[in-house]
Amino acid sequence: MVRTPLTPEERERGERLGRLLREARGSRSMVEIAAGAGISAETLRKIETGRAPTPAFFTVAALARTLGLSMDELAGQCTPVEVAATPAAAVA
């Protein structure tokens, strides 16, 4: 199965979700939160750093529950925003 590449907006939304989760975690350990949500610390690390920008719904729901966040709040703060594409000439 080939996965279509993510758009810049989807990557930005994933990075924003990661930042929100990291801020909500505060001083609690990654291991503690991951265990409470039933996921591995490595999965949480990938979500928080944006390396897993499209986590499964139930993963996000479990993290929200563990962190005391509402899904409505997370969804509202992670709405897509338009990201300007970098021109190919500027990348080279």
Side-chain angles (χ1 to χ4, degrees):
M1 180 169 142
V2 176
R3 185 172 177 157
T4 57
L6 297 176
T7 66
E9 291 80 14
E10 290 168 324
R11 284 193 299 277
E12 169 58 30
R13 185 177 58 208
E15 290 171 6
R16 195 169 331 121
L17 172 64
R19 284 191 300 272
L20 290 168
L21 294 174
R22 172 64 187 100
E23 289 170 11
R25 183 166 60 84
S27 63
R28 292 177 283 183
S29 79
M30 194 174 280
V31 172
E32 173 190 348
I33 299 304
I39 63 173
S40 71
E42 182 58 24
T43 296
L44 179 54
R45 182 181 340 278
K46 287 178 181 178
I47 294 168
E48 284 188 357
T49 60
R51 289 183 11 233
T54 58
F57 172 81
F58 290 106
T59 299
V60 176
L63 286 167
R65 184 192 75 244
T66 302
L67 292 167
L69 299 171
S70 93
M71 289 294 286
D72 287 337
E73 178 183 351
L74 279 179
Q77 293 185 40
C78 291
T79 55
V81 294
E82 189 170 328
V83 176
T86 306
V91 175

